[in-house]
Amino acid sequence: MSAAGSVTGVCMCCCVVRASASTTSGCSGCTVKSVWACAVGGAKRAIGTRAPMLLPLQPNERWSLDFVSDQLTDGRRFRVLTVVDDCTRECLTLVADTSLSGARVARELDALISARGKPAMIVSDNGSEFTSNAILTWADRSRVRWHYIAPGKPMQNAFIESFNGRLRDEFLNETLFSTLTQARAQLAEWRVDYNGARPHSALAWQTPAAFSASFAQRPDLPLRQGAGSTTDPASTTRSKAKHNRQTELRAG
């Protein structure tokens, strides 16, 4: 990426991506200009952000991505792209295909954003699809932070790991698929049931869909600027108080 434009820099000491129009100095004085880090032998790999993550408090604050593998009755293998909203625990999509490249993942994310809105962050492992040029370009173009968990640490992506375990135990291991079309149809049915009919202990025994819908009525969400929705400025409040005191003195 060009140094003249907006680039994403990585401090190799603290492994945190920073967006900057110029070079970025790390905690030990290191300076880099891209999300790529040189590995042993000159190979390049994507770093992404590796700062500690907090629990998300709003829908679309953080999504988690991963793959699950299975096979048809004739022995052909296929993969399923799973996407979960870490706040609401909703399964956002289940994409099944024999091949899921980084470019295909980017297209599926664009479709999700069109229907649901853009996430603030996406979390994934360091698989080749998620560290491909297609995904790095998509994340830069979409202005979405991409967090890569540490290699060999799947529990750093605990939300999607828990979901994938449930998907495999409750559905994939119990179902035979003769065609990819059948697998896609039954995965879609299972996703609807999971989101709308299965209470979740972490959501006070609400379903993910019901918990997500509750955010539309929550009074603690930020209000948009508009007439009648904001408090009076401090200067206006003080002037009103002064006027009231003068009125009381004249009345007395």
Side-chain angles (χ1 to χ4, degrees):
M1 281 181 275
S2 171
S6 177
V7 298
T8 305
V10 182
C11 170
M12 291 302 296
C13 304
C14 54
C15 295
V16 176
V17 167
R18 299 180 177 88
S20 174
S22 60
T23 58
T24 303
S25 297
C27 53
S28 298
C30 57
T31 302
V32 291
K33 287 177 176 285
S34 71
V35 297
W36 293 100
C38 290
V40 178
K44 291 183 177 181
R45 60 187 177 88
I47 292 296
T49 62
R50 286 194 188 151
M53 294 188 301
L54 302 176
L55 290 176
L57 301 178
Q58 303 289 337
N60 288 351
E61 188 171 330
R62 191 173 72 219
W63 294 357
S64 294
L65 277 65
D66 202 2
F67 290 107
V68 178
S69 298
D70 204 351
Q71 67 179 22
L72 304 176
T73 53
D74 61 6
R76 289 184 299 159
R77 299 195 64 81
F78 66 92
R79 306 175 78 193
V80 181
L81 170 66
T82 58
V83 184
V84 169
D85 187 306
D86 290 354
C87 174
T88 65
R89 308 300 203 274
E90 290 174 285
C91 174
L92 304 183
T93 190
L94 294 172
V95 181
D97 213 330
T98 54
S99 177
L100 291 168
S101 64
R104 174 67 181 280
V105 172
R107 291 197 300 270
E108 297 296 338
L109 290 175
D110 282 334
L112 269 180
I113 289 174
S114 297
R116 184 183 175 86
K118 186 170 67 174
M121 175 185 286
I122 290 178
V123 184
S124 76
D125 59 22
N126 293 269
S128 58
E129 297 84 2
F130 299 138
T131 57
S132 64
N133 284 330
I135 288 298
L136 294 174
T137 301
W138 179 90
D140 184 64
R141 169 176 56 83
S142 303
R143 304 292 183 183
V144 174
R145 290 178 294 159
W146 200 290
H147 179 101
Y148 293 103
I149 65 174
K153 301 289 185 181
M155 292 313 296
Q156 290 184 3
N157 205 3
F159 291 100
I160 198 72
E161 289 294 330
S162 175
F163 173 81
N164 287 348
R166 179 172 295 185
L167 171 65
R168 181 168 297 283
D169 293 341
E170 298 180 4
F171 180 66
L172 296 179
N173 289 349
E174 304 295 327
T175 311
L176 295 176
F177 308 109
S178 58
T179 65
L180 193 58
T181 301
Q182 176 198 358
R184 289 169 175 165
Q186 293 190 248
L187 281 166
E189 292 176 1
W190 187 87
R191 187 178 76 88
V192 171
D193 180 73
Y194 174 84
N195 286 337
R198 299 194 181 193
H200 201 296
S201 60
L203 306 178
W205 298 107
Q206 299 180 77
T207 64
F211 183 72
S212 178
S214 70
F215 279 85
Q217 290 81 34
R218 284 182 53 179
D220 55 333
L221 295 182
L223 295 174
R224 294 183 178 181
Q225 292 291 106
S229 63
T230 57
T231 58
D232 293 327
S235 59
T236 304
T237 304
R238 286 195 297 268
S239 63
K240 285 184 177 180
K242 181 178 179 180
H243 174 74
N244 289 341
R245 287 195 298 270
Q246 293 174 346
T247 304
E248 290 174 358
L249 290 174
R250 286 198 298 269

